[in-house]
Amino acid sequence: MEAGGADVVSINDVAARAGVSRQTVSNVLNAPERVADTTRSRVEDAITALGYRPNTTARNLRRQRTRLLGLGLLGGDPDWTSTVINRFIHALTAAAAEQQFHVLLVPRGDDPVRTHLELHESGTVDGFALIDNEPDDARVQALADRRVPFVAFGRTHIRTPHDVVDVDGAAGTRDGVAHLAAQGRRRLAFVGWPEDSLVGEERLRGVREGCVAAGLDPAELEVVRRPNTIAAGAEAAGVLLAGRRPPDGIVAVSDTLAIGVFRALRGRGLMPGQDVGVVGFDDAATAAQLDPPLTTVRQPLVAVARRIVERIEVRCTTPDADHVRELIAPELVVRET
Amino acid sequence: MEAGGADVVSINDVAARAGVSRQTVSNVLNAPERVADTTRSRVEDAITALGYRPNTTARNLRRQRTRLLGLGLLGGDPDWTSTVINRFIHALTAAAAEQQFHVLLVPRGDDPVRTHLELHESGTVDGFALIDNEPDDARVQALADRRVPFVAFGRTHIRTPHDVVDVDGAAGTRDGVAHLAAQGRRRLAFVGWPEDSLVGEERLRGVREGCVAAGLDPAELEVVRRPNTIAAGAEAAGVLLAGRRPPDGIVAVSDTLAIGVFRALRGRGLMPGQDVGVVGFDDAATAAQLDPPLTTVRQPLVAVARRIVERIEVRCTTPDADHVRELIAPELVVRET
C-alpha cells in the first residue's frame, strides 16, 4: 500500500489479495456479469477486507475529465434517415445529461480522424460516440489503436478491440416476417440495399430466419437490392409484382424503400396491407402518416444512447475493462400493413 | 491611459478622442454598416492615431472564454421537420468550426431556462443559439434579461433587445406565388398552419404580397389552416377542391402539408404540376423524391448558421454592440410542380 492520503488502497492491492489480475477487479466493478461467481466473491471479499473504494472524483481529476462527449456527425448526406439521426441526437443528449455528461458535436472537417484525435488530445472531450460508421471506418480504427474512450454505434469490419452498441436488426426483421406470416402471407420478398451494407445484410439474415421460423422456405424468398430512394423502392416492387411469383408480403430494409413499395402498389390499384402486406424499418416520421399507416421496426434509440454513455464512462474510469459488443432489440410497430 | 502592458489603448480612449460613445466605437468595429460614414471616418482616424488594437485573445482570457456554443434542442417532437433541424445542426457545427467554436447540445431537461443559465454561469459555454422558439419563449426572455450572449434563430414577441437571425419566409412564398403565376395559375390557395404561428403568418403574408405583385386580388386567395400532418394537408386540399372555386395553384406552408395536397390531388385523378401547381416550404428530404418532384422553398441554413456564429462572437467580445434583426432570403427550388 502507498503511504498517506485517504484513498490509499489501490486496485492493485485488491487484485493481489484476491489472487486475480487488475483487469478482473476492474470487471467486477464495471461488468460483474462477465466474471464467474466464485471469482467475483473472492474479489468482493478482498474489496471489503481492504476497504477499497473506487474514487471517481479523484480519478476524474487525475485524468482531467471534462465530462464532454464528442458526437461525430454523419459523414454523408445529412438528409439520410434524418428522423433516426434526429431522434438519436435527442436521446444521446438526454442520456448524457442523466449521467452528468454534455454532448459536443464533432465537425466533419477535411480530416475526421485528426479532428477526433485533436479533440481528445487537447482534453476537450473525454471520449466519443461514433455513428454512421463505414465498414473500414478510419475513425474507429484510429481511436481503437490509441485506446481513446469511444463507443461505436454500429458494427464495422475492424478487429482492434473496441466497444460496440448496436440495434439487433435481424431481430427486427424476424418480427416483421412473423407479422406477415400471421396474416397468412406465404410469398415473401425483401427489398434491400446493395450487398456492401453490413446493416442491410443483417436485416436480410433476419428475414431468412423469420421465414424458417414461420415454416416458409427461405430459398423461395425473392430478394431485390436497390439504393435507398423512394423511386428505387417503387421500381423494385414493380419488378417483383411483374415476376413469375408476385409477393403477397414485402419487407423493406428501410421506410424510404417501403414508401416506394406503396407507390408501386397504389399505381397498380393494389392496397398496401390488404392485397400485399408491407413492413418497413426505422419508423421514420412519415411512416405513421402514410395511407394506410406503415407497419415498421422502430429503432430503440433511447436504450442505445443510455448504454453508449454508460460504456464511455466505464472506458474513462477503467481503461482496461473488457470491451463489449451489445445488440439491443428493436420494436415492431404494428399499424395497418 | 492605463500604465504598463502592450495593449494599453482602450476602447474608451478611442471614444474620447473621436468624441463618440464607446458603443459607437464598438459598432465601427463590429457592424460598420450601422454607422454614418462621417462618424465612421472619425472613429477610424482615432483608432489609427492611438494605435488601438482590439486584442481578441486577451479579451477571451479575461472573460474565460471556452469557445463552446450551446445549441438548445427542440422543445417538442423531435420528428418535426427533422430534415431542416438536421441540416441546421450540420450547418451550425461547420460554421462554428470555421470560427473556432464547437457546438454543445443543451439538453431539454425539466427547466430549460435554468439549464441554459447554469451552463453559462458555470463557464461551460460562451453563449447560445436558440431554435424552435415559442412566441413568448422563456429562454429568450431570461437570456436577454441577463445579457447572456445568444442569437435567436426565429422571431418571438419578446421586446427585450436581443439578436435575431431568421429566414425571410415571406420572400420565399412570394417567389412561390411568382412561380405559379408564371405558369398561368390564377386561382390560388394557401394551406397554412393555425394563426398562432408567427412563421406561418409571415409565409401567408408573402403569399398575399406575391398575389399583388402578380396582379391577382389577394382578397380572392383561399386560406385554410391545419396542423402540420400529411392527413391534414390532404383533408384541407379536399375542402378546397370541393369548393366553389377550386384552386389551380396551391402554396403549402410546409412540405408535410404539400405531401397531403399531393395525396388529395392523386385521389381525385388530378396530376400535381399539371392540373394544379403546388409549392411547398422546407425542401424536406422527401420533396425531391415525390412523384412528380415538388417545387419548394429551401431554407438558407448555411448562411443562417454562419451569421449566428458571427453574432455570438460579436456579443462575446463586445457585449454592448447594437443588437441586430436580420432576415436571410431562402431559395425557390423549382422542380416539376
Side-chain angles (χ1 to χ4, degrees):
Chain A
M1 285 203 258
E2 300 167 43
D7 185 17
V8 291
V9 179
S10 75
I11 194 168
N12 290 325
D13 300 324
V14 175
R17 183 176 178 114
V20 299
S21 70
R22 184 188 151 94
Q23 172 70 64
T24 301
V25 178
S26 152
N27 284 347
V28 169
L29 294 169
N30 295 295
E33 73 282 2
R34 305 182 157 265
V35 184
D37 284 349
T38 52
T39 310
R40 195 171 65 225
S41 298
R42 211 158 69 232
V43 172
E44 286 168 352
D45 289 348
I47 287 171
T48 308
L50 293 171
Y52 173 69
R53 291 186 54 202
N55 184 329
T56 308
T57 309
R59 238 168 7 206
N60 286 353
L61 281 173
R62 271 203 304 280
R63 296 209 177 97
Q64 301 188 294
R65 301 280 303 277
T66 61
R67 305 212 68 83
L68 291 184
L69 287 187
L71 170 62
L73 281 181
L74 280 174
D77 178 0
D79 292 346
W80 181 275
T81 57
S82 53
T83 308
V84 173
I85 296 303
N86 219 29
R87 276 192 208 134
F88 179 69
I89 288 175
H90 277 76
L92 188 69
T93 303
E98 286 169 6
Q99 300 178 55
Q100 285 79 53
F101 277 102
H102 281 109
V103 176
L104 180 142
L105 295 172
V106 182
R108 292 181 51 195
D110 299 328
D111 185 348
V113 168
R114 202 173 56 113
T115 304
H116 283 77
L117 291 177
E118 284 180 357
L119 278 171
H120 184 253
E121 285 161 10
S122 65
T124 306
V125 301
D126 291 344
F128 298 94
L130 297 188
I131 57 177
D132 192 39
N133 308 312
E134 293 166 2
D136 295 296
D137 200 279
R139 302 171 306 167
V140 172
Q141 185 70 63
L143 297 180
D145 287 346
R146 288 165 183 78
R147 298 172 58 82
V148 173
F150 79 101
V151 177
F153 175 19
R155 283 154 281 179
T156 66
H157 289 313
I158 292 167
R159 299 200 172 188
T160 313
H162 62 282
D163 284 335
V164 175
V165 174
D166 202 357
V167 173
D168 189 346
T173 48
R174 274 200 306 272
D175 289 348
V177 170
H179 165 75
L180 294 172
Q183 296 174 341
R185 316 281 181 191
R186 298 332 260 170
R187 298 188 311 280
L188 301 191
F190 179 68
V191 177
W193 290 324
E195 291 183 0
D196 58 0
S197 163
L198 297 179
V199 172
E201 291 310 286
E202 186 187 59
R203 294 182 189 173
L204 171 55
R205 179 168 60 76
V207 172
R208 292 203 166 108
E209 291 169 1
C211 287
V212 172
L216 302 171
D217 182 357
E220 293 194 345
L221 178 79
E222 298 271 359
V223 176
V224 290
R225 299 168 179 282
R226 293 293 184 282
N228 198 53
T229 68
I230 294 174
E235 188 270 326
V239 169
L240 291 168
L241 294 166
R244 159 189 72 78
R245 192 167 172 272
D248 61 3
I250 298 178
V251 176
V253 74
S254 72
D255 288 348
T256 300
L257 286 167
I259 293 170
V261 171
F262 265 52
R263 188 181 287 174
L265 293 174
R266 294 289 212 165
R268 283 160 186 77
L270 298 170
M271 182 59 136
Q274 293 184 10
D275 301 306
V276 180
V278 183
V279 175
F281 206 111
D282 283 339
D283 198 20
T286 41
Q289 300 204 8
L290 288 175
D291 182 19
L294 175 68
T295 294
T296 184
V297 178
R298 187 177 175 103
Q299 302 216 23
L301 298 172
V302 170
V304 166
R306 286 206 174 116
R307 198 60 192 129
I308 286 174
V309 178
E310 284 170 13
R311 288 307 305 177
I312 293 175
E313 176 67 20
V314 167
R315 291 243 77 79
C316 289
T317 52
T318 317
D320 47 5
D322 281 349
H323 291 90
V324 300
R325 186 169 176 284
E326 295 184 353
L327 295 182
I328 299 180
E331 176 197 2
L332 185 72
V333 180
V334 177
R335 298 201 180 95
E336 296 178 27
T337 63
Chain B
M1 283 203 262
E2 300 168 44
D7 183 19
V8 291
V9 179
S10 77
I11 193 168
N12 290 323
D13 300 325
V14 175
R17 184 177 178 113
V20 299
S21 69
R22 185 189 150 93
Q23 172 70 64
T24 302
V25 178
S26 152
N27 285 345
V28 169
L29 294 168
N30 295 296
E33 72 283 1
R34 308 185 154 260
V35 184
D37 285 352
T38 52
T39 310
R40 195 172 65 225
S41 298
R42 211 158 70 233
V43 171
E44 286 169 351
D45 289 348
I47 287 171
T48 310
L50 293 172
Y52 172 69
R53 290 186 56 202
N55 184 328
T56 308
T57 307
R59 238 167 9 206
N60 286 354
L61 280 174
R62 271 203 303 280
R63 299 213 174 94
Q64 301 189 292
R65 300 281 303 278
T66 60
R67 303 212 70 82
L68 292 183
L69 286 187
L71 170 62
L73 282 181
L74 279 176
D77 177 1
D79 293 348
W80 182 275
T81 59
S82 52
T83 309
V84 173
I85 297 302
N86 218 31
R87 277 192 206 131
F88 178 69
I89 288 174
H90 277 77
L92 187 69
T93 304
E98 286 169 6
Q99 300 178 56
Q100 286 78 54
F101 277 102
H102 282 109
V103 176
L104 179 142
L105 294 172
V106 182
R108 291 181 52 196
D110 299 327
D111 185 348
V113 168
R114 201 172 58 112
T115 305
H116 283 77
L117 291 177
E118 284 180 358
L119 278 170
H120 184 253
E121 285 161 10
S122 65
T124 307
V125 302
D126 291 345
F128 298 94
L130 297 188
I131 57 176
D132 191 41
N133 308 312
E134 293 166 2
D136 296 296
D137 200 280
R139 302 171 305 168
V140 171
Q141 186 69 64
L143 297 180
D145 286 345
R146 288 166 183 77
R147 298 172 59 81
V148 173
F150 79 100
V151 177
F153 175 19
R155 284 155 281 177
T156 66
H157 289 313
I158 291 167
R159 299 199 171 187
T160 313
H162 62 281
D163 285 336
V164 175
V165 175
D166 203 356
V167 173
D168 189 345
T173 49
R174 274 200 306 272
D175 289 350
V177 170
H179 166 75
L180 294 173
Q183 296 174 342
R185 316 280 181 191
R186 301 329 259 171
R187 298 188 311 280
L188 302 191
F190 179 67
V191 178
W193 290 323
E195 292 183 359
D196 58 359
S197 163
L198 297 178
V199 172
E201 292 310 286
E202 186 187 62
R203 293 182 190 172
L204 171 56
R205 179 169 61 77
V207 172
R208 293 205 164 106
E209 292 169 1
C211 287
V212 173
L216 302 172
D217 181 355
E220 293 193 345
L221 178 78
E222 298 270 0
V223 177
V224 290
R225 300 168 178 283
R226 292 293 186 280
N228 199 52
T229 68
I230 294 173
E235 188 271 329
V239 168
L240 292 168
L241 294 166
R244 162 187 70 78
R245 192 166 173 270
D248 61 2
I250 299 177
V251 177
V253 73
S254 72
D255 287 349
T256 300
L257 286 167
I259 293 170
V261 170
F262 265 52
R263 188 182 288 175
L265 293 174
R266 294 290 211 167
R268 283 159 185 77
L270 298 170
M271 181 60 136
Q274 292 183 11
D275 301 304
V276 180
V278 183
V279 175
F281 206 111
D282 284 338
D283 198 20
T286 40
Q289 298 204 9
L290 289 174
D291 180 19
L294 175 68
T295 295
T296 186
V297 178
R298 188 178 174 101
Q299 303 217 25
L301 298 172
V302 170
V304 166
R306 285 204 174 118
R307 198 58 191 130
I308 287 174
V309 178
E310 285 170 12
R311 288 306 306 177
I312 293 176
E313 175 67 19
V314 168
R315 291 243 77 78
C316 289
T317 53
T318 317
D320 47 5
D322 281 348
H323 292 90
V324 300
R325 187 170 175 286
E326 295 185 353
L327 295 181
I328 300 180
E331 176 198 2
L332 186 73
V333 181
V334 176
R335 298 201 178 95
E336 295 177 29
T337 64

